[in-house]
């Protein structure tokens, strides 16, 4: 859920098979900060963070298995959030 002033938007998760939940929150936070550092708005940063966390839990290495931003963007373009 993203609250930006009077606007409140639900940001759904991406459906993936969870293999290792270790570091999911860290991966989300990293993705969120990545977006903010690039000047993205809160909603775009949160959507990206959701994708990063989804990819992280789908890897045996958890947060250590998060791919580069370009792969996260490809993941987002290939599947809609649930």
């Amino acid at each position: 859920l993203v609250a930006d002033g009077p606007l409140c938007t639900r940001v759904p998760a991406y459906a993936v098979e969870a293999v290792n939940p270790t570091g999911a929150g860290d991966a989300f936070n990293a993705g969120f900060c990545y977006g903010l550092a690039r000047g993205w708005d809160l909603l775009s940063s949160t959507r990206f963070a959701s994708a990063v966390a989804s990819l992280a839990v789908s890897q045996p290495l958890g947060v250590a298995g998060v791919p580069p931003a370009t792969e996260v963007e490809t993941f987002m373009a290939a599947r809609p959030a649930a």
Side-chain angles (χ1 to χ4, degrees):
L1 193 59
V2 176
D4 190 6
L7 182 64
C8 194
T9 307
R10 180 182 174 273
V11 178
Y14 289 88
V16 296
E17 181 180 343
V19 175
N20 182 355
T22 304
D26 293 335
F28 182 93
N29 290 335
F32 186 74
C33 290
Y34 177 89
L36 292 180
R38 277 156 183 67
W40 300 349
D41 61 28
L42 291 176
L43 185 56
S44 297
S45 296
T46 302
R47 287 183 174 140
F48 187 83
S50 178
V52 172
S54 294
L55 285 168
V57 301
S58 68
Q59 303 296 317
L61 299 175
V63 73
V66 174
T70 54
E71 290 184 36
V72 177
E73 291 166 355
T74 299
F75 170 84
M76 292 174 69
R79 61 179 46 86

